[in-house]
Amino acid sequence: MTAHTMIETTSEDFITIIAPSMAEVMASFKSQGLAERQYSIVHRAGKHSFTMAGGETLFNGAQMVAATFSRRG
């Protein structure tokens, strides 16, 4: 028998902003008022390639900067 640990995520809300540059990500963060709504960055931001589960590539295969922000409910 194995033990499973459940991670409680229902009290957190996540927003991921995707843009060509970190400057654009942060401009969007500011324009959406996310700091005032108590959002903070979850992890370091970086370039990503995006693919849907079915294999379809997004953004014509171009790498984009993605940053995920969260707040506790």
Side-chain angles (χ1 to χ4, degrees), residues 34-71:
L34 296 179
E36 294 79 12
R37 294 170 40 203
Q38 306 302 308
Y39 280 88
S40 59
I41 197 159
V42 173
H43 193 268
R44 65 185 178 117
K47 289 189 175 184
H48 296 260
S49 296
F50 293 91
T51 306
M52 297 294 292
E56 175 189 356
T57 58
L58 302 177
F59 309 112
N60 293 319
Q63 287 192 333
M64 302 287 275
V65 175
T68 299
F69 303 87
S70 73
R71 69 174 175 182

Side-chain angles (χ1 to χ4, degrees), residues 15-19 24-26 28-29 32 34 65-69:
I15 294 176
T16 299
I17 299 173
I18 301 168
E24 291 174 85
V25 167
M26 294 313 295
S28 180
F29 178 84
Q32 293 182 53
L34 296 179
V65 175
T68 299
F69 303 87

Side-chain angles (χ1 to χ4, degrees), residues 1-15:
M1 181 171 15
T2 59
H4 295 277
T5 303
M6 296 292 289
I7 299 172
E8 178 60 43
T9 59
T10 57
S11 64
E12 282 187 287
D13 183 30
F14 295 92
I15 294 176

